[in-house]
Amino acid sequence: MKFSKAKIFFYSCLGFVVGVAISSFINIPFWLVFSFGAVSFLLIVIMWKNQKARVLGFCILFAAGGILRFQASIPVSDNSLIQQYNGQETTFIGLISSEPDTRKSHVKLTIDVKQGLEGLPEKITGKVLVNTYLFPEYHYGDLLKITCQLQAPEPITDDDSGRVFNYDKYLTRFDIYSLCYRPYIEFIAADQGNVIMSTLLNIKTKFVQAVQLALPEPQASFLGGLILGAKKAIPDDLMESFNRTGTTHIVALSGYNITIIAILILNLCKHLWISRKGAFWVSLFAITFFVLITGAQASIVRAGIMGMLVLLATQLGRMSRITNTLVLAAVVMLLINPKVLVFDAGFQLSFLATIGLVYVSPIIEKVFKWVPAVLEIRASLVATLSATLMTLPLIIFQFGRLSLVAPLVNVLILPAIPVSMGLGFITGILSLIWLPLGQVFGWIVWTILSYIIFIVESFAKLDFASFELGVVSWVWLVVGYGLLIIILFSQKIIFRVFKS
């Protein structure tokens, strides 16, 4: 079998991803990585004329690169790192480096340490997650002097279900290795952060405030979560309804959400007789705008990239190009932050949803040809079921909950999501210009949002809507995706991916 350049590229990138995955679970010594490099050199250089050996050499070389990239992301023991002082009372000066995470009873501040005081080295770096009171309020870019007892993050066990949340692993993807509770904080200066990020977050804050003035609750909070990912203000009972119906993704701006929205916007544009090329650029602009208005945080940027990949896949057409685009995106994201592959459920769901929309949707579409295409009903059903099917095993494994009504609820509400998001943006902008005009236009959005909330709450009341499964073994995860792979093999999808 002769390998094309596209296939060699695909297998090499796949080798890098596998290397990152292996290194995420196993600490591989440097001498072994060096041995991989030596073997790959022999296969590539000495056996150059044997194409299979050459391709294997590239795969091993890229896998070694993935291992080294992950190992390079792990901080070494150094007294200049703030986590070296976990368990001690410390004083340091730091900058709020991301948007404050406001909860109902406290605020989480991500602090980028700039200077050590009172026994710490003056030149000290690292990040600390500070849990503090709701007041006084602090903002992105504030420079603070903080005194507190540093703690190392630890796994958290749910007493009811017995499930363990690896909070320490979760925080490592943000390069956070220290926690700080009940700190003493002194304000030093404001506006010390990145000017562009500060501007984007200020726009987001003003926009959320304008929406809250234009709409009543809970529709205002729901819209804030829908278009900006600002879901903290959504009432607990409504969030529980989203959880029970498997629709939490619509208020998270995750890759799972944006990839589905991307397809729906694309189909809606086609329904409005916009050309394929025009629909692509309209959808691309919409996703870019969503990313910027939410503050362009790393997780949202990754979600936006996933949505853009779905759009690109519809333009490329050829399976080899689509596959190489997806695997290249994975490599680029892992080069930036290799920890997201194993420790970030959002990253995993984003990629799986994208894979579902690209590879599984053609199978689903054949089954549901009888569903009418009017108002994009069939497109919504296919997109929802494709993404849901591909992410279901992981969702059950990660969260221990199965929603039986999720497919139906998603089909009923997803066609209304792009419309409510678009009209919601218009409402917010009009409210910023002149509040009465925004409030008048807001009644249209209120009607659509009320429909979505009604559907979600109605199905959430059903006794069989959702089941708590507790701790789910990784064996079921393997079985779930094993069955999906068998289905893809039966439809020759896997064959097309690896052979095209």
Side-chain angles (χ1 to χ4, degrees):
M1 180 181 66
K2 188 176 181 180
F3 292 90
S4 65
K5 291 181 180 179
K7 282 187 284 188
I8 296 174
F9 177 84
F10 169 73
Y11 285 119
S12 298
C13 290
L14 196 61
F16 181 87
V17 175
V18 171
V20 172
I22 292 173
S23 195
S24 299
F25 294 103
I26 304 172
N27 184 22
I28 300 177
F30 179 76
W31 66 265
L32 187 54
V33 180
F34 179 80
S35 299
F36 290 157
V39 170
S40 65
F41 177 81
L42 292 174
L43 291 171
I44 294 171
V45 177
I46 297 179
M47 303 184 67
W48 179 261
K49 293 184 178 180
N50 187 327
Q51 193 186 45
K52 289 184 179 180
R54 191 167 72 244
V55 172
L56 179 60
F58 278 118
C59 291
I60 295 174
L61 180 64
F62 274 73
I67 293 171
L68 291 176
R69 178 61 190 97
F70 183 86
Q71 292 180 346
S73 70
I74 302 174
V76 297
S77 297
D78 188 336
N79 288 335
S80 66
L81 296 176
I82 189 66
Q83 58 263 30
Q84 293 298 113
Y85 302 91
N86 286 344
Q88 302 179 28
E89 182 167 304
T90 58
T91 301
F92 55 87
I93 294 175
L95 182 76
I96 300 179
S97 58
S98 63
E99 183 181 18
D101 183 2
T102 304
R103 306 297 177 94
K104 287 181 170 54
S105 60
H106 63 280
V107 179
K108 295 178 181 288
L109 305 175
T110 300
I111 304 296
D112 191 358
V113 179
K114 299 296 183 183
Q115 179 183 345
L117 301 172
E118 299 181 16
L120 291 181
E122 183 176 352
K123 293 183 179 180
I124 192 167
T125 59
K127 291 183 179 180
V128 179
L129 185 63
V130 175
N131 289 262
T132 187
Y133 307 102
L134 292 173
F135 300 99
E137 291 186 4
Y138 298 105
H139 307 89
Y140 168 81
D142 286 353
L143 192 66
L144 309 174
K145 177 182 176 182
I146 301 173
T147 301
C148 69
Q149 182 93 7
L150 293 179
Q151 298 181 25
E154 296 179 349
I156 301 173
T157 302
D158 189 313
D159 294 334
D160 295 328
S161 65
R163 294 183 60 81
V164 177
F165 174 46
N166 292 315
Y167 190 48
D168 51 342
K169 300 294 185 182
Y170 169 82
L171 291 179
T172 60
R173 66 193 180 110
F174 304 110
D175 293 323
I176 297 175
Y177 299 90
S178 297
L179 298 176
C180 169
Y181 296 96
R182 295 178 294 278
Y184 175 73
I185 300 177
E186 296 180 42
F187 176 82
I188 298 177
D191 300 325
Q192 302 298 303
N194 182 278
V195 176
I196 297 176
M197 179 63 72
S198 181
T199 302
L200 290 174
L201 291 177
N202 285 334
I203 293 173
K204 175 182 176 180
T205 299
K206 291 180 180 179
F207 191 89
V208 170
Q209 292 173 346
V211 168
Q212 291 173 338
L213 291 172
L215 291 171
E217 293 292 350
Q219 285 80 4
S221 296
F222 175 36
L223 183 61
L226 191 63
I227 61 179
L228 299 174
K231 60 180 181 179
K232 299 298 187 300
I234 298 177
D236 291 339
D237 56 344
L238 181 56
M239 277 304 302
E240 178 59 21
S241 296
F242 284 125
N243 288 330
R244 285 182 56 79
T245 55
T247 51
T248 312
H249 59 89
I250 69 173
V251 290
L253 273 188
S254 63
Y256 180 93
N257 181 17
I258 292 183
T259 47
I260 295 177
I261 298 302
I263 288 292
L264 294 182
I265 292 176
L266 193 66
N267 291 328
L268 182 62
C269 289
K270 293 177 182 177
H271 189 72
L272 297 174
W273 297 287
I274 298 174
S275 67
R276 180 176 177 178
K277 185 176 181 181
F280 171 78
W281 288 110
V282 168
S283 304
L284 194 66
F285 172 79
I287 292 175
T288 304
F289 187 68
F290 294 157
V291 170
L292 292 176
I293 201 70
T294 55
Q297 300 174 41
S299 59
I300 303 301
V301 171
R302 288 197 299 269
I305 292 173
M306 290 296 97
M308 292 176 184
L309 285 176
V310 173
L311 298 177
L312 190 59
T314 63
Q315 294 294 107
L316 293 176
R318 283 180 56 185
M319 185 67 75
S320 60
R321 293 181 180 179
I322 297 170
T323 303
N324 282 353
T325 301
L326 288 174
V327 75
L328 177 60
V331 169
V332 171
M333 292 182 190
L334 295 180
L335 281 170
I336 297 171
N337 186 356
K339 297 177 185 131
V340 299
L341 180 63
V342 173
F343 305 139
D344 188 346
F347 174 83
Q348 298 160 9
L349 290 172
S350 296
F351 250 97
L352 287 172
T354 305
I355 291 172
L357 288 167
V358 173
Y359 300 115
V360 179
S361 59
I363 302 174
I364 301 293
E365 193 168 13
K366 292 178 183 177
V367 177
F368 290 97
K369 280 187 176 181
W370 56 272
V371 176
V374 65
L375 297 178
E376 302 306 320
I377 295 176
R378 185 197 301 163
S380 300
L381 177 64
V382 169
T384 301
L385 292 180
S386 300
T388 301
L389 184 64
M390 204 65 198
T391 56
L392 183 60
L394 180 63
I395 290 174
I396 294 174
F397 174 74
Q398 290 279 10
F399 306 108
R401 170 178 277 187
L402 175 63
S403 176
L404 299 181
V405 300
L408 178 57
V409 174
N410 275 278
V411 168
L412 291 174
I413 67 174
L414 276 178
I417 297 298
V419 178
S420 59
M421 291 176 75
L423 295 179
F425 270 115
I426 296 174
T427 299
I429 292 171
L430 292 178
S431 299
L432 287 171
I433 298 172
W434 189 38
L435 181 58
L437 182 59
Q439 289 174 326
V440 171
F441 197 84
W443 281 107
I444 303 175
V445 186
W446 178 88
T447 303
I448 301 173
L449 295 175
S450 296
Y451 161 76
I452 297 172
I453 292 173
F454 172 76
I455 294 295
V456 170
E457 290 184 334
S458 297
F459 278 90
K461 293 176 182 177
L462 299 175
D463 293 336
F464 59 86
S466 177
F467 293 96
E468 293 290 343
L469 302 177
V471 179
V472 179
S473 171
W474 61 268
V475 174
W476 292 107
L477 182 68
V478 174
V479 170
Y481 283 108
L483 291 174
L484 284 174
I485 290 173
I486 291 173
I487 293 172
L488 293 177
F489 258 117
S490 68
Q491 297 295 317
K492 298 184 179 180
I493 298 295
I494 295 289
F495 178 83
R496 291 168 58 197
V497 170
F498 284 92
K499 296 292 185 181
S500 57

